Amino acid sequence: MTKVFDKLMDVNARKLDWNFQVYIVHLWEVPNIFNINDINGIEMVLQDIQGGRIQASITKPLVKKWRGKILEFKMYIMTHFIVVDKKEKTRTTNNKWSINFSHRTTVQPVVKPSYPLKAFCFKPIPELLAAEKLEDSVLIDVIGEVIGKEDPRQLITSKGRETKRLAVILEDLENNSIGCVLFGHMVDQILPYLEEGRVEPLIDIA
């Protein structure tokens, strides 16, 4: 008998015993603004079989329990969450709600996923260029060939942290181009592929 799971877009504040089968399509740690080695929390975006998404949070008291135990692009069965009005959080999806891990939350890896991973929701470059306003906290996926770049620069953030900045230009198959700015560890990840003498085109997903 096939087990029925709740859908992410059906989440509401009327119950706690939600039961999801989802992929983690984005996952990132939130450092303490005064100490980058201290993690204040873990954020992630979950996606179900219908493509519905929701942001999930692990607050600082539970970070040690879950850090390194759940991975991006893996499927899990997850149960029992605290439902939070999205107004109280940074909005990264179009879901009305977000969810927090609690001490009762359970996470079980799915060894043989029952549906394929579709992690990216690409936005066409012309659509982004034509938009009057974009929510600066909503996650947007863009794909294109890197056709230009500037030299990386060292920066000091408003919080006094040292970081790196690198601007690149992406171009799609219709020759539409858009600028993209990378910060921090993302700069270190892409720099080896931007070395001079590279023959193959570099395709970047941002």
Side-chain angles (χ1 to χ4, degrees):
M1 183 176 176
T2 302
K3 190 170 184 179
V4 177
F5 295 98
D6 296 311
K7 301 299 184 292
L8 295 178
M9 299 308 292
D10 292 337
V11 166
N12 59 71
R14 292 192 294 273
K15 72 173 187 177
L16 298 176
D17 57 338
W18 296 100
N19 187 27
F20 305 123
Q21 186 179 56
V22 291
Y23 281 104
I24 299 177
V25 294
H26 294 287
L27 186 147
W28 64 99
E29 295 181 345
V30 182
N32 186 307
I33 61 174
F34 302 107
N35 181 4
I36 61 175
N37 296 316
D38 183 23
I39 304 302
N40 271 353
I42 299 173
E43 299 291 332
M44 69 196 80
V45 175
L46 310 180
Q47 180 172 292
D48 63 21
I49 190 172
Q50 293 185 339
R53 292 186 172 195
I54 197 168
Q55 183 171 345
S57 301
I58 299 174
T59 55
K60 187 170 184 177
L62 295 175
V63 165
K64 185 176 180 180
K65 176 180 179 180
W66 292 108
R67 191 181 189 192
K69 306 289 180 59
I70 49 180
L71 304 174
E72 198 171 48
F73 302 147
K74 297 295 185 180
M75 176 182 279
Y76 300 91
I77 294 174
M78 301 183 173
T79 66
H80 296 94
F81 296 90
I82 299 171
V83 178
V84 181
D85 191 316
K86 71 178 183 182
K87 294 179 182 179
E88 300 178 14
K89 297 172 60 66
T90 301
R91 180 176 176 267
T92 57
T93 76
N94 61 1
N95 201 307
K96 181 180 179 181
W97 305 94
S98 58
I99 53 179
N100 287 352
F101 277 51
S102 75
H103 291 282
R104 296 183 61 221
T105 299
T106 65
V107 177
Q108 177 185 347
V110 177
V111 179
K112 296 182 178 180
S114 57
Y115 60 92
L117 170 65
K118 296 181 180 179
F120 303 107
C121 297
F122 292 114
K123 291 285 188 181
I125 290 177
E127 181 179 325
L128 297 177
L129 295 175
E132 293 185 4
K133 181 180 179 181
L134 294 172
E135 294 286 342
D136 58 8
S137 60
V138 175
L139 300 179
I140 297 173
D141 298 320
V142 181
I143 186 170
E145 179 184 351
V146 178
I147 62 169
K149 69 177 182 69
E150 67 174 20
D151 293 329
R153 294 190 296 166
Q154 298 289 334
L155 291 178
I156 303 295
T157 69
S158 59
K159 306 296 183 181
R161 290 175 51 196
E162 294 184 0
T163 188
K164 298 177 183 178
R165 177 189 185 276
L166 173 66
V168 298
I169 300 175
L170 303 181
E171 183 178 79
D172 65 16
L173 294 175
E174 286 74 42
N175 299 320
N176 300 298
S177 60
I178 192 170
C180 178
V181 181
L182 306 176
F183 293 94
H185 71 278
M186 291 186 289
V187 176
D188 296 325
Q189 289 178 351
I190 197 174
L191 277 179
Y193 301 99
L194 294 174
E195 296 176 353
E196 294 184 7
R198 181 184 175 88
V199 177
E200 303 87 354
L202 175 60
I203 306 301
D204 185 42
I205 297 175

